[in-house]
Amino acid sequence: KQFVKEGLVNTGVYVCNVSRFYEKNFPEKFSLEKDYFEALVDQLHFSGFIGDGYFLDIGIPEDYKRAQQELKV
């Protein structure tokens, strides 16, 4: 990953057919993006939508800490 000033991001929210997912017999550690999505892109149905709401990337340590304050319940 690299810094990009603007553009689209994948927010990581997925709906999938669980039984088809488990048919693949993945090892204990694998990459959902590389080993599932990219490897099976021709066999799966993908769709999505573009939203323009607030986005906070909790994969970045500083933003994760920020989310702890912003998302307090």
Side-chain angles (χ1 to χ4, degrees):
K1 295 182 180 182
Q2 60 190 20
F3 175 78
V4 177
K5 187 173 181 174
E6 62 181 57
L8 300 176
V9 296
N10 177 349
T11 61
V13 177
Y14 308 109
V15 176
C16 64
N17 182 316
V18 175
S19 60
R20 287 190 67 196
F21 178 81
Y22 282 121
E23 287 174 359
K24 302 302 177 194
N25 295 315
F26 291 108
E28 185 175 336
K29 293 183 180 181
F30 69 96
S31 166
L32 184 65
E33 290 83 3
K34 296 277 183 196
D35 299 326
Y36 188 64
F37 296 147
E38 290 180 19
L40 303 170
V41 69
D42 294 333
Q43 301 169 36
L44 302 171
H45 172 76
F46 288 93
S47 62
F49 72 95
I50 297 175
D52 62 357
Y54 177 68
F55 175 77
L56 182 60
D57 185 353
I58 62 170
I60 298 171
E62 295 81 19
D63 285 350
Y64 179 79
K65 290 176 188 173
R66 187 169 138 200
Q68 302 306 300
Q69 295 303 313
E70 290 186 18
L71 302 175
K72 276 189 176 180
V73 179

